[in-house]
Amino acid sequence: MDKGMLTYLIIGFVIGFIICFIFISVISPKARKYAKVKQELDQTKDELIAQKQMIAKHFSHSAEILDNMAKDFRRLYQHMAENSTQFMDSGNIQSLDFDSNTDSDETKEITLDKQPRDYSDDSSGLFKTDENKS
C-alpha cells in the first residue's frame, strides 16, 4: 500500500465516523427523548417567568389599592375632625370615654334578689304529640 492510499483510507474513516455519529445522534431514541425533555424544560421556564410577572403585577396592584384606601381613610378622618365642631355646640360636647363603665356622674349597680335559673318549670310544648295538643 502506498502512502496516498493510506491517507485516503484514514480520511474516509474519519468522515464516515463523523457522518455515523451525526446520523445516530439525530435518529436515536435517546436523542429524540433529550430534545423533547429540553423543549418541555424551556416551556416550563417560560411559564414560570410569566407566572412570576403576573404575581408581581398582582401584588403591586394590591399595594396601590391599599395605599388609596389609607389615603381615603385619612381624608375621612380629617373631614370628621374638621366638621364635628359645626354640628356640636361647645357647651353640649361631652367627652367620649369608651374605656370606663360609668355614665358621667352616675354609677349603675346591678343587684339581683336571686340567681336566675337556666330552666323553666313549665314545659315548652316542643315535644308534645298531636294527641296531647289542644
Side-chain angles (χ1 to χ4, degrees), residues 21-82:
F21 179 76
I22 292 172
F23 184 72
I24 289 175
S25 66
V26 170
I27 294 181
S28 74
K30 285 184 181 180
R32 281 184 270 154
K33 185 177 179 182
Y34 173 77
K36 182 181 176 185
V37 169
K38 177 116 172 92
Q39 180 185 9
E40 289 176 0
L41 177 66
D42 293 338
Q43 182 181 2
T44 305
K45 283 182 181 179
D46 293 340
E47 289 174 1
L48 180 63
I49 290 170
Q51 187 177 20
K52 283 182 179 181
Q53 290 173 348
M54 186 173 59
I55 289 172
K57 183 179 177 182
H58 167 75
F59 281 120
S60 67
H61 185 67
S62 297
E64 181 181 330
I65 290 173
L66 286 173
D67 187 43
N68 289 340
M69 285 176 55
K71 287 177 184 176
D72 289 342
F73 179 74
R74 274 189 233 110
R75 282 187 25 226
L76 175 66
Y77 180 76
Q78 289 172 351
H79 170 76
M80 295 298 288
E82 291 170 359

Side-chain angles (χ1 to χ4, degrees), residues 5-132:
M5 190 172 176
L6 186 61
T7 307
Y8 288 130
L9 187 63
I10 292 175
I11 292 173
F13 277 127
V14 170
I15 291 174
F17 181 75
I18 292 172
I19 291 173
C20 182
F21 179 76
I22 292 172
F23 184 72
I24 289 175
S25 66
V26 170
I27 294 181
S28 74
K30 285 184 181 180
R32 281 184 270 154
K33 185 177 179 182
Y34 173 77
K36 182 181 176 185
V37 169
K38 177 116 172 92
Q39 180 185 9
E40 289 176 0
L41 177 66
D42 293 338
Q43 182 181 2
T44 305
K45 283 182 181 179
D46 293 340
E47 289 174 1
L48 180 63
I49 290 170
Q51 187 177 20
K52 283 182 179 181
Q53 290 173 348
M54 186 173 59
I55 289 172
K57 183 179 177 182
H58 167 75
F59 281 120
S60 67
H61 185 67
S62 297
E64 181 181 330
I65 290 173
L66 286 173
D67 187 43
N68 289 340
M69 285 176 55
K71 287 177 184 176
D72 289 342
F73 179 74
R74 274 189 233 110
R75 282 187 25 226
L76 175 66
Y77 180 76
Q78 289 172 351
H79 170 76
M80 295 298 288
E82 291 170 359
N83 293 325
S84 64
T85 57
Q86 291 179 355
F87 298 113
M88 298 182 82
D89 293 337
S90 61
N92 293 338
I93 296 178
Q94 297 174 354
S95 65
L96 298 176
D97 188 13
F98 294 112
D99 293 331
S100 68
N101 292 330
T102 60
D103 288 339
S104 58
D105 293 333
E106 300 177 9
T107 58
K108 291 183 181 179
E109 292 184 25
I110 299 175
T111 57
L112 297 175
D113 295 337
K114 5 184 230 185
Q115 178 125 7
R117 295 187 303 180
D118 293 337
Y119 59 90
S120 171
D121 290 334
D122 299 329
S123 65
S124 65
L126 183 66
F127 296 110
K128 286 187 179 179
T129 60
D130 289 338
E131 299 162 358
N132 294 343

